[in-house]
Amino acid sequence: MLGLTAAALLIHGYHYGIEDQAVYLPAIKKLLNPALYPFDANFFFLYVRWTLFHSAVATSVRLTHLPVDWAVFLWHVVSIYLLLLGCLRLARRCFAEPIYQWAGVALVAALLTLPVAGTALFIADQHLHPRALATAFLLFAMVAVMERRPIALLWIFLAALSHPSMAVYGFFHIAILAWGQSLAAPAFLLPKIPMSAPTNPIWREIMSHRNFQYPLRWAWYEWLGAIGPLIILYYFARIGRRNQMLDFERVCRCLAVSTSLGILAAVLFTQFFPAQTWVRFEPMRILHFTYVIFVLFSGSLLGKYVLRRKPLRWVLLFVPLAGAMFYCQRLEFPASRHIEWPGLASNNDWVQAFDWVRLHTPRGALFALDPQYMARPGEDFHGFRAISERSMLADTRKDPSVVEVFPDLAYQWKLETSDRLHWTQFDLAGFHRLKIIHGVTWVVLERPAAPGLSCPYSNRSITVCQID
């Protein structure tokens, strides 16, 4: 298991402060130091009341006295290990031969960053994410249900403490497996999302651009990614019946049923309810748990019918597959190291600038960046707040995912982003206007900087300037 975890890390890489960590990591750091982020904590800290994930990571930092980057890295490694361990336990329940079990787990490790249809998810991310922990706990819960052990409730509860919405979807799958019918999730599993209809037009404007949450807006190939695994799972169930693999057949059949019902519910709730409040639950993400088990069982059947005890066949399958996944990750993060080891200086110009900001600017500073900065060439989706530990005006890449869940933030988001619509054309007067309106004291710019600004830091791509 340790070897497969290390292999997964080498294949898919590791990145600190990217994508969703732009939300999770500032929350952890603010728990450790409440003086941080005096202006913009609402764009990440509201999540803390839903889950104990942030508090658990912060507590581990306090107890071990490890630097935050090392603690986050170790949590990531442990979460991947637990995810693969959960897959192994389920494979052992469904397949008798160890070679089949390990083939399934190996395929999951090789395909961790496989996209899940059109949901904007991977099986597991290249950074620490509570979804991986929740998925591991749900796999443990599924095995416990199959063994009729009440500890399944504890695993589901831990999943809910890690990632509430994923726990709800996982509970639905497990309930179908256990009782053959949909059961209402216990109240403690349900995120406390206000169910009244958000009326502000800015929230609706943001949601109009988030097509992955509306299944009827998906492209045909995304629907193929949703329907294809269900058809194959029904076929797997026939294989299980033919070979007297009763647990395998049962899981495949029930998983296909629960996912089909989940997709139908997602279409109904997102398309035909005028309030569209359920969109905030991102209901098509019910596919995530299905994908994990689908890949696991596909690998196990490959081990049973193709790979067997033929080392050359294993090499011919997994070496090209791992190489292809590695290549895709290098394409996704071309300006950063494949593994951003904690404690090692980054070679990414943007991250170097964010590090300088953390070390050389006041904690009470308010920064402005290009609202689309995370998508700029060479930035590689690193979050400014996560790395710099400084406040900034809202962006248009990651902050909308927070506004989606907390609609009252839409007004602040709109105010802060609309004042930077023509960011690349800003002159000294434009920056002074940001200071007058919002209190901005520093800006992060792509070189060259606007004349008249005092810029104490610059590298090949980025300049950090103070508004006098």
Side-chain angles (χ1 to χ4, degrees), residues 5-148:
T5 303
L9 187 68
L10 292 173
I11 293 169
H12 306 285
Y14 168 77
H15 300 280
Y16 178 74
I18 65 165
E19 296 179 346
D20 281 357
Q21 273 200 356
V23 177
Y24 291 116
L25 194 52
I28 294 168
K29 291 186 174 183
K30 188 164 181 66
L31 286 172
L32 292 168
N33 185 354
L36 296 176
Y37 312 106
F39 299 104
D40 56 349
N42 280 344
F43 281 104
F44 57 83
F45 208 57
L46 290 173
Y47 280 108
V48 172
R49 63 182 180 178
W50 288 5
T51 167
L52 291 184
F53 169 77
H54 313 82
S55 298
V57 177
T59 300
S60 70
V61 173
R62 293 192 188 99
L63 293 177
T64 62
H65 302 289
L66 284 171
V68 174
D69 56 347
W70 271 105
V72 169
F73 173 74
L74 293 175
W75 271 84
H76 174 71
V77 173
V78 169
S79 65
I80 297 302
Y81 179 91
L82 291 176
L83 174 59
L84 296 178
L85 180 61
C87 290
L88 178 62
R89 293 187 62 182
L90 181 58
R92 283 177 172 168
R93 181 71 193 183
C94 296
F95 295 90
E97 289 290 331
I99 199 73
Y100 309 157
Q101 302 162 7
W102 286 105
V105 179
L107 189 63
V108 174
L111 295 177
L112 276 184
T113 51
L114 177 72
V116 179
T119 61
L121 298 181
F122 300 123
I123 289 178
D125 295 278
Q126 315 91 330
H127 58 278
L128 174 63
H129 199 294
R131 188 182 303 115
L133 280 174
T135 303
F137 295 143
L138 290 169
L139 288 167
F140 296 153
M142 175 171 278
V143 174
V145 165
M146 296 171 70
E147 296 172 349
R148 300 184 182 279

Side-chain angles (χ1 to χ4, degrees), residues 301-428:
L301 290 178
L302 281 173
K304 179 179 176 67
Y305 293 107
V306 179
L307 302 178
R308 299 178 183 174
R309 299 184 181 273
K310 306 289 185 181
L312 181 60
R313 296 182 183 180
W314 285 69
V315 171
L316 291 176
L317 173 65
F318 284 106
V319 170
L321 188 60
M325 298 302 292
F326 176 88
Y327 177 70
C328 290
Q329 289 306 302
R330 295 310 303 136
L331 290 179
E332 188 168 357
F333 302 98
S336 304
R337 290 189 177 91
H338 183 59
I339 299 178
E340 297 186 70
W341 296 104
L344 187 64
S346 176
N347 62 345
N348 183 293
D349 289 346
W350 288 81
V351 176
Q352 289 174 5
F354 298 167
D355 279 330
W356 184 91
V357 167
R358 184 181 76 254
L359 297 172
H360 296 93
T361 63
R363 289 179 179 173
L366 177 59
F367 280 76
L369 297 84
D370 184 341
Q372 293 273 352
Y373 79 95
M374 293 184 77
R376 297 298 299 160
E379 210 280 346
D380 285 358
F381 310 104
H382 289 88
F384 174 79
R385 295 189 189 100
I387 298 171
S388 71
E389 301 179 1
R390 297 295 181 265
S391 294
M392 73 172 193
L393 297 186
D395 65 51
T396 57
R397 300 294 297 186
K398 184 51 63 177
D399 288 339
S401 66
V402 182
V403 177
E404 164 201 343
V405 182
F406 303 101
D408 288 343
L409 289 175
Y411 302 101
Q412 180 183 350
W413 175 87
K414 184 67 172 180
L415 200 64
E416 295 182 359
T417 56
S418 61
D419 286 339
R420 290 172 290 148
L421 288 178
H422 306 289
W423 177 258
T424 57
Q425 302 172 21
F426 266 44
D427 55 12
L428 188 60

Side-chain angles (χ1 to χ4, degrees), residues 265-285:
V267 171
L268 291 175
F269 281 123
T270 59
Q271 196 66 28
F272 300 107
F273 279 62
Q276 297 187 352
T277 306
W278 284 97
V279 175
R280 286 181 278 175
F281 283 102
E282 300 174 348
M284 284 300 284
R285 293 189 170 186

